[in-house]
Amino acid sequence: MRDEILQATDRGLEVFKSFLSGNFKQVGKAFKNPFYLDNNASCYVFLDKETNTYKFKDFGDPLFFGDCFSLVGLINNIDCKTNVGFVEIMNIINNKLQLNILNTQVIPAITKIDSKINVEIITDKIESNEIVEPIIHKNFNDEELKYWHEYGIDQSTLEFYKTISIEKFVGRKKDGKEYLLFSSNKEPIYGYIQNKFIKIYRPKSTIRFLYAGEISKQYIFGLEQLPSRGDILFITGGEKDVMSLYSRGFNAICFNSETANIPKNTLKRLKSRFKHIVLLYDSDKTGITSMKKHAEGLEEFNVKYLVLPLPGTKEVKDISDYFRLGNTKEQLMKLFCQMLDLLYEETMAILKSCEIDFHNPPIKPDPLITINDVTVGSNGNLLCITGTEGSGKTNYLGGLIAGSICNDINDVDTLGTYIQSNSRNKAVIVYDTEQSEDQLYKNMSYIMHRSNLTYPPKYFKAYCLVGMSRKERLQSILQSMDKFYYEHNGIHMVVIDGIADLISGVNDEEQSVELVDELFRLAGIYKTCIVCVLHLSPSGMKLRGHLGSEIQRKAAGILSIEKEENTNISVVKALKVRDGSPLDVPLVQFGWDNELNRHVCLGYKSKEANESRKIEDLSNILKDIYSKKYSYSISELTTELMNYLNIKERMARNYIKFMKDYQLIEINPKNSQEFTTSIIPF
């Protein structure tokens, strides 16, 4: 079975891609470990030539080392060195990657005779038992499925969480007396299959829970079913609650009980994967007390708790009861938003004074020179827009943001750029750290005019953050984004005009890395595009400072707005695109139309103009590259271009051929294997 999995997953590579999704990109290339707060990329996936299998190694944490089976074992707290553990790991891989190799009905842990179990009586009395015979399970009957359906749990969910229906259980008490349990409609028996044991659930019996097999000290139900990334993770009181939440689209796990210790090392890893970790225990006295105690003890992980509006009786107290009574996913989300309102009450009160009030315009101050920024981009990514004063950046960005809030996208000229329609009325948010309140109001009013709107829609927010400290600005942005994401069922776009004003300086490497990582993480969690505005370096090809280097590395696209000499035409130039090279992207033109009284798209520039632009930009790149060294071999020059433009080897070699054809580089007369350039004198 092991060999079949390796063969079906390209020697384990596909397993790494699945379980390290979003972090691991390329074999041999360093990435950050997603299972703890990793500040430095020091984790690698490589091909071990001795075993001809792919392995991974984290130089920052020696715990993370081994093949694909070791990784899955680490993630799920399973010992892969035991036969039972290894079989369970193979089942996990088989299920997640849908390989259809292993028989997931195999339960090796519970067929071991004389394994120890604990019997938990509802009076909290514990007895020790032994298993006399292997546990026999069967298909769910209609009556059993009806029970689970009351909580919104169907058969596919039961199978996903490896929940079975048990037909027969034979045990032996501590005094040596044997007893037999048979399933019936009156007293059904279910089982939650875990790594080395099974937890037996008898909802209609006096003794409701049995633990058969070697019980893990860190029992976490639902851990292996979690996605690699998410916004909310609920920690509930029981397995049924986990499945009930999953059936409504939520992520959830549970420990052995509400009073069980929550390991901090597990929370550390989960915190890097989920924005919110929320305790959702029973609404009785024990559940509420446990939530408050855990939240206080786990304050460093920002763990929250949510109290359900239930009476807390034995019959009605948990989240599965909440759904059974007819409450919906939307009603739970409303409770979650109310919890956020309390948590962010002070921040939102401060931010309220910064919100642009379109019904009560601010008092007009003396005219000031300001820089306006509006953003647009692809979901889950950062987009950077730059341009000099007077280049037309304000008008270009105004066209983009107008297209995101208008009633009909066909009625708005977005200046040669396609904007996905905001048909679901998700939040569109503009944060400005540089302009006065009056100027920002004018710019937003101009956008309303372009969008054919008298007043902005409720989901459009614009904030002037000039009066805040840098620390307050970032906190206000993070918390208000979180609130509006749930309030408006998503975020369409976010614009941060003046990203440099969120840290102490663009050359502060540590702050730059932390800021860009946080924004990139939020873009992924909220499935939105965060547009950042930052100035260029003097070369005109790279963004300024360490902050610019981080954005250039992480952003999916970088656009520069430039004004043509001696004309009123502005040009949109790509400095970076996700696929291919920015130098091959056509130049978009836009300018003022007197008849329409607004800026309009003027189409693409000619092929000759694009060719001339490529020569000019490559010349600027060569000035930077050859300022460090007189000559380069073809492999060295290829590497420099790949790093400079973030392109692949084939594209870099195409550029080298282009530069040779146009005599931008030439063979070094002292070494025929190297190239020099006449662009800069030596």
Side-chain angles (χ1 to χ4, degrees), residues 133 167 253 356:
E133 298 178 6
E167 183 176 343
I253 59 172
I356 299 298

Side-chain angles (χ1 to χ4, degrees), residues 468-613:
M468 287 185 173
S469 68
R470 293 172 187 260
K471 185 177 181 180
E472 285 178 326
R473 289 170 187 167
L474 182 57
Q475 182 184 38
S476 296
I477 289 172
L478 298 180
Q479 294 190 359
S480 58
M481 277 179 61
D482 200 42
K483 172 181 169 60
F484 294 135
Y485 172 76
Y486 296 105
E487 187 173 300
H488 298 286
N489 297 313
I491 300 176
H492 193 59
M493 285 188 296
V494 174
V495 179
I496 303 178
D497 187 353
I499 186 175
D501 291 325
L502 301 181
I503 58 176
S504 59
V506 294
N507 285 313
D508 189 312
E509 185 173 3
E510 183 178 354
Q511 289 188 36
S512 297
V513 171
E514 289 178 356
L515 174 62
V516 175
D517 281 351
E518 178 67 9
L519 294 178
F520 189 77
R521 188 175 75 92
L522 293 176
I525 288 175
Y526 298 137
K527 298 179 178 61
T528 188
C529 175
I530 300 179
V531 180
C532 310
V533 180
L534 188 65
H535 295 294
L536 290 170
S537 65
S539 70
M541 289 298 296
K542 300 183 75 172
L543 298 170
R544 188 178 295 277
H546 285 299
L547 179 58
S549 298
E550 281 300 305
I551 292 178
Q552 191 132 4
R553 187 169 64 88
K554 287 289 185 72
I558 301 174
L559 298 178
S560 176
I561 314 301
E562 302 177 359
K563 193 68 168 289
E564 284 197 336
E565 293 184 8
N566 303 320
T567 71
N568 288 322
I569 296 176
S570 296
V571 178
V572 182
K573 181 170 74 172
L575 301 184
K576 177 184 177 181
V577 292
R578 167 173 285 176
D579 299 315
S581 166
L583 300 180
D584 294 329
V585 177
L587 301 174
V588 180
Q589 303 178 98
F590 66 91
W592 183 260
D593 187 300
N594 289 323
E595 183 178 344
L596 296 176
N597 197 32
R598 58 178 172 80
H599 287 81
V600 297
C601 178
L602 301 177
Y604 299 135
K605 296 199 74 173
S606 66
K607 181 179 179 181
E608 291 77 15
N610 279 301
E611 199 90 329
S612 176
R613 174 259 178 137

Side-chain angles (χ1 to χ4, degrees), residues 637-652:
L637 187 55
T638 299
T639 301
E640 288 289 332
L641 289 171
M642 290 170 62
N643 293 335
Y644 200 104
L645 292 171
N646 194 27
I647 57 176
K648 296 182 179 179
E649 181 179 354
R650 184 176 65 177
M651 184 62 67

